[in-house]
Amino acid sequence: MKKDNQWPLWEVFIRSKQGLNHKHVGSLHATDQQMAIKNARDVYARRNEGVSIWVVKSEHIHASSPDKNDCFFDPANDKVYRHPTFYNIPDQIDHM
Amino acid sequence: MNITSGTEEEVTMDEIGTITDFIQDEAGHGLYLYSAMETLGKSRDQSLQELIDGKAKYSSIFNYPTTSWADIGAIGWLVDGAAIVNQVALQRTSYGPYARAMVKICKEESFHQRQGFEIMMTLANGTKAQKQMAQEALNKIWWPALMMFGPSDKESVHSQKSMAWKIKRQSNDELRQEFVDMTVPQAELLGLTIPDPDLKFNKKTGHYDFGPINWDEFYAVIHGHGPCNKERLEARRKAQEEGEWVKEAALAHAKKQRNLNAA
C-alpha cells in the first residue's frame, strides 16, 4: 500500500497593514510552522498583501455548527436592551 | 522552442523573470482550487491521484502544445483572458471558498493577460517574421480559447444544475460572447486577423457573430485525445512519483526537529 505522506494542513491569516486584524486568507500544506510561514508568504503575500502572517494547524481550529445557529445564537435575539437605541433620551440632548 | 522576442535575438532576462512569476502564480491558482476542494472533505492526495488516474477533469486548454514565444503571448492574452471572463463571473459563485479563491485568481490573471498582450504587441510591431509568428499563434489558440467556455448551452450536461445551485452565474454561451466582443478590437489593434471568416459585427444585436466551433475536436480533447493529454498527465504522474521521497524526507526532518526541541 502507498505510504501516506500527506503534510499537515495549515490555515493562513494575514494582517494587511499595521492596526488591522489578521484575516483568514486560505490554507496550505507544510511539514512544520517555519515551512508553513514561508510558503504562506510565497502563495498569499506575493504582492505586498501583508505585514504579518499567522499560521495555525487546521486541526486546532474548532467551529460552531451552522446547522444549530437558531438555538445557538438565540440568547441574543430577545435582548433588545443590549442596543443603545433601546433607551429613550430627551430631545434636548442632541448627542449622547 | 522557437524563442525570438522583441530584440529579434533571444528572450531577455526580464522576459524570463516575468514568465517565472507567471508560472509561480499559476501553481498558486492550482493550490487555491485544491484547497477549496479540501474544504469539501477531499484530501489533496486523493484529488491529485484522481487527476493522474484520468478521473478528474481539468481545463481542455492545457492539452494544447506551446511551441513558440508567440504562443506564450497568445496564451497569456487569450487563454488567461478567457479565464478572467469565466472567473469574474465565478467571484459571485454560491460556494464561499471557491468564490474567495476566484477573487484572488482574477487579480493575478490580469497581470498574465496584460503581459501576454504586450508580448503580442512587441511581435506584431516587429519584423515580418515576428508578425507572422504572432499571427500563427493567434490562429492556433483562438478556437481552443473559445472552447474553454465549454459546450453550448443546449449541449451542456452540468449547466442546469450548476445554474440552479448558483455555482455558475452566467451561461457558457453568454460568457463566450462576452469574450469575443472584448477580444476582437484588441486583435484589430494588434493588426492581426482572427482566423474566422464568419466573424462580423452584428449591428442589430450589438455583438460579434462568429463561425461554428468544432465540437468534435472539443469532445476529443476532453475525452483524452487532444494533442498533449497523455504527455500532460504523464508529467503530473512523474512529478508525483519522483517527488514522493522529498515529501517523506521533509516529514522525517520535521519530526526530528520536534523531537530535538522536546528533548
Side-chain angles (χ1 to χ4, degrees):
Chain A
M1 212 194 99
K2 207 180 132 230
K3 214 172 146 204
D4 183 17
N5 282 331
Q6 184 81 75
W7 292 350
L9 186 65
W10 301 74
E11 300 301 323
V12 180
F13 299 82
I14 290 187
R15 180 204 291 282
S16 56
K17 61 180 187 189
Q18 246 12 294
L20 295 181
N21 49 351
H22 285 74
K23 199 171 156 193
H24 183 246
V25 293
S27 60
L28 50 78
H29 289 271
T31 56
D32 60 19
Q33 58 273 35
Q34 282 90 356
M35 191 198 271
I37 290 174
K38 271 192 197 152
N39 287 0
R41 176 200 60 192
D42 292 344
V43 180
Y44 293 107
R46 285 161 38 70
R47 293 181 173 81
N48 300 318
E49 285 95 336
V51 294
S52 161
I53 296 176
W54 286 352
V55 293
V56 181
K57 262 193 184 169
S58 307
E59 64 188 34
H60 294 315
I61 294 186
H62 304 274
S64 65
S65 164
D67 296 339
K68 295 185 183 136
N69 271 3
D70 279 354
C71 60
F72 186 70
F73 291 106
D74 174 66
N77 289 343
D78 55 0
K79 296 182 180 60
V80 277
Y81 54 81
R82 286 180 179 169
H83 299 279
T85 45
F86 176 77
Y87 302 94
N88 285 320
I89 302 294
D91 289 345
Q92 292 93 306
I93 300 175
D94 347 310
H95 184 74
M96 181 184 274
Chain B
M1 188 160 147
N2 181 4
I3 290 182
T4 312
S5 84
T7 62
E8 218 198 330
E9 283 160 13
E10 52 195 18
V11 172
T12 63
M13 278 315 281
D14 279 353
E15 285 165 328
I16 291 173
T18 50
I19 207 71
T20 309
D21 249 76
F22 181 119
I23 293 165
Q24 211 175 2
D25 276 347
E26 293 296 349
H29 298 176
L31 178 98
Y32 308 152
L33 294 177
Y34 278 108
S35 295
M37 299 239 289
E38 248 170 333
T39 63
L40 290 166
K42 184 169 271 185
S43 81
R44 182 76 51 86
D45 276 359
Q46 213 179 338
S47 298
L48 287 173
Q49 196 57 48
E50 285 179 8
L51 176 69
I52 292 165
D53 292 344
K55 284 187 209 146
K57 283 180 143 191
Y58 59 95
S59 180
S60 56
I61 198 72
F62 299 130
N63 297 306
Y64 289 89
T66 311
T67 52
S68 75
W69 179 246
D71 286 0
I72 304 267
I75 287 170
W77 170 41
L78 300 171
V79 171
D80 288 82
I84 291 174
V85 169
N86 234 329
Q87 289 161 343
V88 162
L90 285 172
Q91 290 182 87
R92 294 182 290 116
T93 188
S94 56
Y95 188 56
Y98 191 27
R100 291 191 286 274
M102 286 302 153
V103 172
K104 197 155 160 46
I105 288 177
C106 284
K107 279 189 202 150
E108 297 175 351
E109 295 285 19
S110 176
F111 142 61
H112 303 168
Q113 190 193 18
R114 294 172 72 133
Q115 179 203 8
F117 189 79
E118 197 188 87
I119 292 172
M120 293 301 274
M121 208 158 61
T122 308
L123 291 173
N125 294 321
T127 62
K128 216 172 143 197
Q130 284 175 314
K131 188 166 181 183
Q132 177 65 22
M133 201 201 280
Q135 181 63 54
E136 278 166 16
L138 170 58
N139 293 351
K140 204 164 81 177
I141 310 288
W142 175 253
W143 291 104
L146 291 196
M147 292 177 200
M148 282 174 67
F149 295 95
S152 75
D153 297 345
K154 299 191 291 288
E155 306 290 330
S156 176
V157 210
H158 306 291
S159 275
Q160 219 183 350
K161 191 156 97 183
S162 310
M163 294 286 269
W165 288 5
K166 298 196 171 147
I167 294 172
K168 215 166 169 163
R169 306 306 304 256
Q170 267 173 293
S171 81
N172 294 355
D173 288 333
E174 276 168 29
L175 294 167
R176 190 168 10 244
Q177 184 67 56
E178 204 176 297
F179 173 72
V180 171
D181 290 345
M182 181 183 96
T183 312
V184 173
Q186 295 170 2
E188 281 168 3
L189 198 82
L190 290 171
L192 299 176
T193 311
I194 287 176
D196 179 358
D198 299 326
L199 187 76
K200 210 174 145 231
F201 188 71
N202 183 330
K203 272 189 197 143
K204 244 199 291 185
T205 60
H207 296 289
Y208 283 91
D209 292 335
F210 52 95
I213 289 173
N214 181 352
W215 293 115
D216 291 341
E217 177 184 327
F218 171 76
Y219 285 110
V221 171
I222 62 169
H223 290 125
H225 308 296
C228 301
N229 295 54
K230 286 200 181 70
E231 194 185 324
R232 299 293 189 242
L233 284 185
E234 180 56 20
R236 296 290 90 68
R237 192 194 60 75
K238 218 172 138 204
Q240 188 76 352
E241 219 173 85
E242 292 177 359
E244 207 58 47
W245 73 270
V246 181
K247 287 166 71 182
E248 206 171 320
L251 268 181
H253 175 74
K255 197 174 160 195
K256 195 172 148 194
Q257 292 302 113
R258 269 200 306 276
N259 291 342
L260 279 176
N261 289 340

